[in-house]
């Protein structure tokens, strides 16, 4: 009997623990990824709708505990009506497909940080892929997966790389034929092969390029 009661208590305790691993605040659903350090992943709440700008919070407080938002869940905002998204420096990873098929999204802001942001590099799994025409990239990217030599976006017209960016990944903006404006911060020391291959109007030359490192987009990039 004591053993049975012990097992029952263990099961109830485990269920209670599971119940505490996910919670909803406002339009966001949070999943606790590290209870000891108070880390959570964020996604759209089940019943939430988005039709305007989305700013991912850097932290959230629930039942008197403050959690740091360190990741965006896979497919977390897939096919939502957001018009733009801002990713704070607290976020370390963005899950697969997180912002894909957000047809109203025109701009992406990834805030400055010296800590790289990790996201899927495999074609089709990248969190943005065919979204947005304007991007501000404020940190280095770590691309994961088997095949990472694909562009971050396909339809970018304006790209600004902030002062914390030191490396531009290979192929990062290749094939963005509509790219017209490019600003590269003074922190960049390495540009990967074909990072801007076939960019700009006509695929060979862009309209404008503001940078200490480049005068145009060309096949040499």
């Amino acid at each position: 009997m004591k053993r049975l009661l012990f097992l029952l208590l263990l099961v109830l305790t485990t269920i209670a623990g599971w119940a505490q691993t996910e919670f909803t605040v406002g339009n966001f659903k949070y999943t606790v990824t590290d209870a000891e350090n108070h880390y959570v992943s964020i996604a759209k709440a089940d019943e939430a709708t988005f039709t305007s700008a989305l700013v991912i919070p850097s932290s959230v407080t629930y039942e008197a505990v403050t959690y740091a938002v360190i990741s965006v869940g896979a497919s977390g905002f897939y096919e939502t009506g957001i018009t733009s998204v801002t990713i704070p420096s607290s976020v370390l990873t963005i899950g697969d497909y997180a912002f894909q098929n957000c047809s109203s999204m025109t701009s992406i802001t990834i805030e400055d940080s010296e800590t790289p942001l990790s996201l899927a590099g495999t074609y089709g799994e990248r969190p943005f892929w065919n979204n947005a025409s304007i991007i501000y990239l404020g940190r280095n990217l770590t691309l994961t997966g088997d095949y990472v030599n694909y562009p971050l976006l396909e339809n970018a017209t304006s790209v600004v790389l902030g002062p914390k960016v030191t490396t531009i990944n290979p192929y990062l903006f290749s094939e963005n034929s509509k790219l017209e404006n490019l600003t590269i911060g003074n922190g960049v020391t390495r540009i990967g092969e074909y990072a801007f291959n076939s960019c700009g109007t006509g695929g060979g030359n862009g309209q404008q390029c503001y940078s200490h490192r480049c005068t145009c987009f060309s096949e040499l990039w």
Side-chain angles (χ1 to χ4, degrees), residues 58-211:
S58 59
S59 65
V60 60
T61 300
Y62 179 73
E63 294 187 346
V65 178
T66 298
Y67 297 88
V69 178
I70 67 163
S71 61
V72 178
S75 301
F77 295 90
Y78 184 84
E79 288 189 340
T80 53
I82 59 176
T83 57
S84 65
V85 61
T86 299
I87 309 294
S89 59
S90 66
V91 171
L92 304 179
T93 61
I94 300 179
D96 299 355
Y97 319 107
F99 299 98
Q100 276 198 29
N101 288 3
C102 296
S103 59
S104 298
M105 186 163 69
T106 59
S107 66
I108 299 164
T109 300
I110 298 175
E111 293 185 344
D112 292 352
S113 176
E114 294 181 355
T115 304
L117 176 65
S118 177
L119 50 87
T122 302
Y123 188 73
E125 295 178 2
R126 289 198 172 182
F128 305 108
W129 187 30
N130 57 348
N131 300 123
S133 57
I134 301 170
I135 182 169
Y136 175 87
L137 180 62
R139 60 206 293 195
N140 290 339
L141 298 179
T142 299
L143 303 178
T144 62
D146 296 329
Y147 305 99
V148 298
N149 291 333
Y150 292 98
L152 178 68
L153 298 171
E154 290 190 330
N155 298 309
T157 61
S158 177
V159 173
V160 177
L161 305 178
K164 301 293 185 181
V165 176
T166 61
T167 300
I168 303 174
N169 305 66
Y171 294 88
L172 195 62
F173 294 101
S174 66
E175 308 298 332
N176 277 250
S177 62
K178 299 177 182 179
L179 185 58
E180 297 180 351
N181 299 293
L182 172 65
T183 300
I184 299 179
N186 291 329
V188 172
T189 58
R190 184 176 183 276
I191 298 176
E193 61 180 0
Y194 305 110
F196 298 98
N197 183 52
S198 297
C199 284
T201 303
N205 293 296
Q207 296 298 306
Q208 301 180 57
C209 182
Y210 305 109
S211 167

Side-chain angles (χ1 to χ4, degrees), residues 18-33 38-45 59-63 65-69:
W18 288 339
Q20 295 300 313
T21 61
E22 189 174 282
F23 58 89
T24 299
V25 176
N27 288 325
F28 302 119
K29 177 171 63 178
Y30 298 92
T31 300
V32 179
T33 57
H38 300 159
Y39 294 154
V40 293
S41 176
I42 191 172
K44 180 185 81 69
S59 65
V60 60
T61 300
Y62 179 73
E63 294 187 346
V65 178
T66 298
Y67 297 88
V69 178

